[in-house]
Amino acid sequence: MRVPLSWLREYVDLPATETGRDVQAKLVSAGLEVETVEQLGAGLKGPLVVGQVLTIEELEGFKKPIRFCTVDVGTANGTGEPQEIVCGARNFQVGDKVVVVLPGAVLPGDFAIAARQTYGKTSHGMICSGDELGMGDDGSGGIIVLPPEHEAGTDAIELLELVDEVLDIAVTANRGDCLSMRGVARETAIAYGLPLRDPALLDVPAPNSYGYPVKIADPLGCDRFTARTVGGLDPEARSPIWLQRRLQKAGMRPISLAVDVTNYVMIELGQPLHAYDRTRVDGPIGVRRAEPGEVLTTLDGAKRKLDAADLVITDNRGPIGLAGVMGGANTEIADSVTDPETGQVTGTTEVVIEAAHFDPVAIARTARRHKLSSEASKRFERGVDPQAASAAAQRTVDLLVLLAGGTAEAGVTEVIAPSAPRTISVAADHPDKVAGVDYGRETVVRRLQEIGCDVYGQDELVVTVPSWRPDLTEPNDLAEEVIRLEGYENLPSTLPRPPAGRGLTERQRLHRRAGRALAGAGYVEALNYPFVSEQVFDQLGLEADDPARRVVKLVNPLNDEEPALRTTLLPGLLTALRRNDGRGSHDLALFETGLVFQPGEQQGVAVQLPVDRRPTDEEIAALDAVLPAQPRHAAVVLAGAREQAGWWGKGRPADWADAVEAARTLAAEAGAELIVQQGQYGPWHPGRCAELAVVVDSEIVVIGHAGELHPRVVKALSLPERTCAMELDLDLLAKAGEGVLQAPRISTFPVATQDVALVVDTEVPSAVVEYFLRGGAGELLESIRLFDVYTGEQIGEGKKSLAYALRFRAADRTLTVEEASAARDAAVALAAERTGAVLRGA
């Protein structure tokens, strides 16, 4: 909504010193989004005057028509002599009044005017078009031709209101009242604490039985219809300059007097109107739903096949307009036409004015169905004041009588469906509870009355909502009105107060350490949206019964192709990797930590929690019960070179071992023992996939997988060859950890090394054997390392030999051979018990 400041001052007596920026600040504080303040006429400098064309000489020999004119500018040029000007426009003739800019003036855009030699003549100034003055398109296609009553030499800057400020307001969907000067003026008056001169307060005659006949077949779609008739209009009458300029400043193009008046009243009062040529309307005007197969040619010249849900305006012939959207071409106001032989001017001399109130939902659906958004439909779908219809019709009649010499007929038609004003019961302290501020009853009542509400009651208020605020439907809406008018900036900033000595939880600290550790290992964090397509699970090669395929679907997703919440981080990371690889970055190592969403077997519906009090424990528990499990995962993806080639060496590509090492890095941060063994799952290559497990509550739990992706997955997702990935459950990893990490103690005593070779079945993972060796060795074990794997005839078929180096050290003494050997034997004994291992050579 574009709001000229000069027009706004007609309804609110703003201080003379207030600028557009000042008004912007006030309205923003009141909750309106004023995007810009446009300075019209910035840099404009006169003399810019009215001139009368005295002579026109057509210059020959040029590629385009050029005219040499003499123009009377009065005494504005200092001499009183006619001004000689060269002009290429063709839409004026001798005797016309035009706008002339004289040498020494500066037009918008820092365009200085001076006498200059052109087309063999000296041009002392310029005859101006609307675009050159920053007025916009006036529909003439050439220079400005003024009405004849303005004298030559008159200051055109003041006449055309070229200097002004225009506020551009982004009106939200719930504030249709602010799509009018009346609505913005009301908000301005409240913001400044000044009285409002309401332009809708007009004397309107009562409806009578001899107005233009109207039949409403769908009172739910149209609950109010006012019709007025004006005859005896002068077809030659043009919109005055002040009306044209206000329309232009508001962002609309002047068309003809009747149309301009309806547009002007719509901007002023917010009520869309339509004017029909009475001679082209056949019989009573009706409102009904369209019949299947009906066709209407709208004012834009398009033939539209109507839908049965469309609300239409009709006469005896059928549809003559799309209700609340656009009128039909068959009842359009006719342009004035002069007969070249008789000189008689013909055009529309009688009009029927429609001011109606339509169902917002019906108008919105019709506008979208026909892809036809108009100024009228924008207002109807956001909410129009139904009580303003009769005042808007009266205002239109008054302007047509004043400007076109018409006569208002006595007939007044008003069809109204019975309705009652909306009332809301609200506690007087409800806004206080919502905002956390003690406003008090007097402030609440005063603010509600300022927006037009009638308020009764003491502790429990009964509020009657004004007709221009259909968005106010419940107590929280009223609370919001009080809060915004008292100033959002005055709400206290209250932060939660944690108990002394507490900071981040251990879980939060682990999440941060995990991100820092992966970043330190050379990975770059890539944050992705948590939305996926269910087709991606087929591309990842997941089994049909895989739990990851059970997803939470959004009712209103951002993207219809990705309606589900993720159960794995890999789709987003692999998409980021593919995008970067396609843009020339081939050596990639990306990571992400984030929530995944795992719905239960049965999904419920969440309850709506209150906002004026703290929810009870039962309400919170009921909400938590229907939410999906949301564990935090960590994942990495790699492609290209892991170590760059250079003078230091050849480098090497990323492989499955790097993905496994990323998991080990996270396990080290969590203080957990990671069990790495061969596995097979979904997107990973069956021969290059590691299963990641930890011990939680004395049970081995699989928390993720790492390795190289399957070639089929690489092809399906268009990934680089040999792409590797790792994903694990960070929350389960934290449960397996030892809690707070302790700084290591460096012993000054020597280490005792014991080697042991164990024979186990081939399918027994070395990591499992290592886990039990570590558990049996006790506190004296400092480290364990697998240094040899042997298979052959000496071991036996289906067997393998695993050789480990065990390092023992005590913090307070030098270990004896007996102590080290005893720790080694205990380690072997536990490994033998749990894995069936046998000492090699025993």
Side-chain angles (χ1 to χ4, degrees):
M1 176 70 186
R2 289 172 57 84
V3 179
L5 187 59
S6 60
W7 194 353
L8 185 63
R9 289 181 182 274
E10 282 200 3
Y11 313 119
V12 184
D13 289 326
L14 295 172
T17 56
E18 287 294 285
T19 66
R21 295 291 184 189
D22 298 328
V23 177
Q24 177 189 30
K26 286 284 190 178
L27 292 180
V28 168
S29 179
L32 295 185
E33 185 180 350
V34 184
E35 294 186 328
T36 60
V37 177
E38 184 179 350
Q39 305 290 332
L40 299 184
L44 177 63
K45 177 184 175 184
L48 184 73
V49 298
V50 175
Q52 183 173 17
V53 180
L54 300 177
T55 64
I56 298 177
E57 177 187 351
E58 300 289 345
L59 301 182
E60 304 292 340
F62 300 103
K63 294 182 179 179
K64 61 179 181 179
I66 298 296
R67 309 166 104 186
F68 181 66
C69 311
T70 59
V71 184
D72 177 15
V73 294
T75 60
N77 57 3
T79 64
E81 297 294 326
Q83 199 81 0
E84 296 180 340
I85 299 175
V86 175
C87 182
R90 312 291 298 176
N91 66 315
F92 66 97
Q93 57 190 0
V94 173
D96 282 345
K97 298 291 180 65
V98 295
V99 178
V100 178
V101 57
L102 301 177
V106 179
L107 295 184
D110 199 25
F111 180 33
I113 303 299
R116 63 191 183 98
Q117 192 76 18
T118 180
Y119 297 104
K121 301 285 186 177
T122 301
S123 181
H124 298 274
M126 187 169 69
I127 302 175
C128 298
S129 67
D131 283 338
E132 290 166 336
L133 298 179
M135 297 170 56
D137 182 17
D138 61 358
S140 65
I143 58 95
I144 302 169
V145 178
L146 299 172
E149 63 267 18
H150 300 291
E151 294 185 3
T154 303
D155 183 3
I157 295 178
E158 183 177 349
L159 175 67
L160 299 177
E161 303 177 15
L162 297 179
V163 179
D164 202 351
E165 294 180 279
V166 178
L167 286 71
D168 194 349
I169 303 176
V171 179
T172 55
N174 66 319
R175 292 302 305 272
D177 60 305
C178 288
L179 283 174
S180 66
M181 293 299 303
R182 181 193 184 202
V184 176
R186 183 182 295 108
E187 291 295 321
T188 306
I190 295 172
Y192 278 91
L194 297 172
L196 168 71
R197 285 188 291 274
D198 191 343
L201 296 179
L202 300 174
D203 291 330
V204 180
N208 49 56
S209 60
Y210 43 92
Y212 198 92
V214 174
K215 298 179 180 179
I216 307 297
D218 189 345
L220 294 179
C222 175
D223 57 8
R224 182 181 291 263
F225 196 108
T226 300
R228 299 290 298 275
T229 308
V230 180
L233 300 178
D234 181 3
E236 290 187 282
R238 296 175 52 188
S239 300
I241 292 176
W242 63 266
L243 192 150
Q244 294 187 43
R245 288 297 294 136
R246 285 189 172 180
L247 289 177
Q248 289 174 330
K249 292 175 185 179
M252 302 189 74
R253 182 171 65 87
I255 298 173
S256 64
L257 177 59
V259 175
D260 291 350
V261 166
T262 58
N263 286 336
Y264 178 85
V265 175
M266 177 183 68
I267 295 172
E268 183 179 50
L269 301 182
Q271 168 67 53
L273 301 109
H274 190 71
Y276 302 93
D277 188 326
R278 183 176 182 177
T279 62
R280 304 173 75 175
V281 179
D282 183 6
I285 292 177
V287 182
R288 61 169 172 83
R289 299 287 174 170
E291 297 177 0
E294 284 188 312
V295 177
L296 170 67
T297 301
T298 47
L299 288 173
D300 58 358
K303 284 190 175 182
R304 304 184 184 277
K305 187 175 181 180
L306 303 180
D307 188 271
D310 291 335
L311 199 63
V312 294
I313 310 298
T314 64
D315 64 4
N316 290 336
R317 298 165 298 177
I320 59 173
L322 270 177
V325 180
M326 184 174 286
N330 54 352
T331 56
E332 182 180 8
I333 300 296
D335 294 331
S336 60
V337 178
T338 303
D339 189 316
E341 296 182 359
T342 64
Q344 184 179 1
V345 179
T346 59
T348 298
T349 59
E350 293 181 273
V351 296
V352 178
I353 300 163
E354 165 207 307
H357 184 262
F358 301 110
D359 175 48
V361 175
I363 301 306
R365 288 176 177 172
T366 297
R368 283 155 180 75
R369 188 180 298 118
H370 294 280
K371 297 180 175 60
L372 186 62
S373 179
S374 64
E375 292 293 331
S377 68
K378 289 178 185 177
R379 286 165 171 80
F380 276 123
E381 64 190 47
R382 286 167 172 79
V384 168
D385 180 7
Q387 302 291 337
S390 56
Q394 182 63 44
R395 177 70 164 145
T396 305
V397 169
D398 292 343
L399 287 173
L400 288 176
V401 170
L402 175 67
L403 302 176
T407 302
E409 296 189 4
V412 177
T413 302
E414 198 165 279
V415 181
I416 303 175
S419 63
R422 182 186 298 112
T423 59
I424 303 172
S425 295
V426 58
D429 61 350
H430 182 68
D432 302 13
K433 293 179 179 179
V434 174
V437 176
D438 186 13
Y439 292 125
R441 180 187 178 280
E442 291 185 4
T443 299
V444 171
V445 171
R446 175 171 56 84
R447 288 304 190 183
L448 292 178
Q449 289 175 338
E450 284 178 347
I451 65 173
C453 297
D454 290 330
V455 185
Y456 303 94
Q458 291 298 319
D459 295 337
E460 189 73 17
L461 303 179
V462 178
V463 181
T464 302
V465 176
S467 58
W468 56 82
R469 291 300 302 274
D471 58 307
L472 303 181
T473 59
E474 58 181 49
N476 289 333
D477 296 330
L478 300 179
E480 182 181 3
E481 291 300 298
V482 174
I483 294 168
R484 76 175 180 87
L485 294 178
E486 284 296 304
Y488 291 121
E489 69 277 8
N490 295 325
L491 292 176
S493 298
T494 305
L495 297 177
R497 296 182 180 179
R502 296 186 184 180
L504 298 176
T505 65
E506 181 58 31
R507 181 172 182 263
Q508 291 169 330
R509 286 196 290 268
L510 174 60
H511 295 164
R512 295 194 179 191
R513 291 203 309 271
R516 286 195 295 266
L518 291 175
Y523 291 86
V524 176
E525 187 171 17
L527 300 178
N528 300 288
Y529 287 117
F531 312 118
V532 296
S533 166
E534 291 184 89
Q535 285 73 26
V536 76
F537 300 130
D538 296 328
Q539 296 172 320
L540 291 176
L542 299 185
E543 298 292 340
D545 58 349
D546 194 299
R549 284 183 175 270
R550 191 166 61 246
V551 296
V552 177
K553 290 187 178 179
L554 301 176
V555 175
N556 189 20
L558 293 177
N559 183 352
D560 291 337
E561 296 181 357
E562 295 180 336
L565 292 174
R566 66 189 179 191
T567 56
T568 167
L569 302 180
L570 290 183
L573 272 179
L574 293 175
T575 299
L577 184 139
R578 180 178 66 244
R579 185 186 305 114
N580 283 275
D581 180 73
R583 295 177 179 177
S585 298
H586 304 301
D587 302 326
L588 297 162
L590 308 178
F591 86 91
E592 181 178 12
T593 63
L595 300 180
V596 298
F597 304 85
Q598 300 171 348
E601 294 292 339
Q602 295 181 347
Q603 298 186 31
V605 178
V607 298
Q608 185 174 358
L609 297 181
V611 298
D612 59 341
R613 59 175 174 82
R614 183 188 184 280
T616 64
D617 294 340
E618 291 75 15
E619 289 172 331
I620 296 175
L623 179 63
D624 288 339
V626 299
L627 294 178
Q630 300 176 45
R632 182 172 290 270
H633 280 204
V636 303
V637 293
L638 304 100
R642 184 62 176 141
E643 296 178 2
Q644 296 292 334
W647 57 265
W648 52 85
K650 295 182 179 180
R652 68 173 182 84
D655 61 17
W656 62 269
D658 294 303
V660 175
E661 184 59 28
R664 295 186 188 278
T665 300
L666 294 177
E669 289 297 326
E673 293 289 339
L674 188 68
I675 302 174
V676 181
Q677 54 193 9
Q678 185 176 0
Q680 183 174 346
Y681 176 71
W684 280 276
H685 192 297
R688 299 167 188 160
C689 175
E691 185 178 79
L692 310 175
V694 293
V695 176
V696 178
D697 297 332
S698 302
E699 292 186 6
I700 297 179
V701 179
V702 176
I703 63 169
H705 294 82
E708 182 180 318
L709 295 183
H710 198 291
R712 286 198 298 267
V713 174
V714 170
K715 181 178 180 181
L717 296 175
S718 302
L719 301 172
E721 293 183 359
R722 311 298 291 270
T723 297
C724 300
M726 180 279 295
E727 182 173 10
L728 56 76
D729 188 322
L730 202 55
D731 288 343
L732 284 177
L733 185 66
K735 289 183 179 180
E738 299 177 354
V740 178
L741 294 177
Q742 299 293 331
R745 292 185 178 181
I746 308 301
S747 175
T748 59
F749 296 93
V751 67
T753 302
Q754 294 275 351
D755 293 344
V756 60
L758 301 177
V759 178
V760 296
D761 292 338
T762 305
E763 63 270 13
V764 176
S766 61
V768 174
V769 177
E770 178 182 324
Y771 174 77
F772 289 113
L773 283 173
R774 189 183 299 276
E779 296 180 355
L780 294 179
L781 181 66
E782 183 178 83
S783 67
I784 182 172
R785 179 176 60 88
L786 176 67
F787 66 86
D788 183 56
V789 179
Y790 176 75
T791 58
E793 296 180 0
Q794 298 178 4
I795 303 300
E797 186 176 356
K799 300 290 185 179
K800 63 182 177 181
S801 172
L802 304 176
Y804 294 90
L806 287 72
R807 292 167 56 90
F808 299 96
R809 194 195 308 257
D812 56 351
R813 67 188 186 281
T814 300
L815 293 177
T816 64
V817 174
E818 290 76 13
E819 289 177 311
S821 297
R824 179 201 62 188
D825 293 343
V828 172
L830 183 60
E833 177 186 346
R834 298 298 181 88
T835 67
V838 178
L839 273 174
R840 184 175 175 182

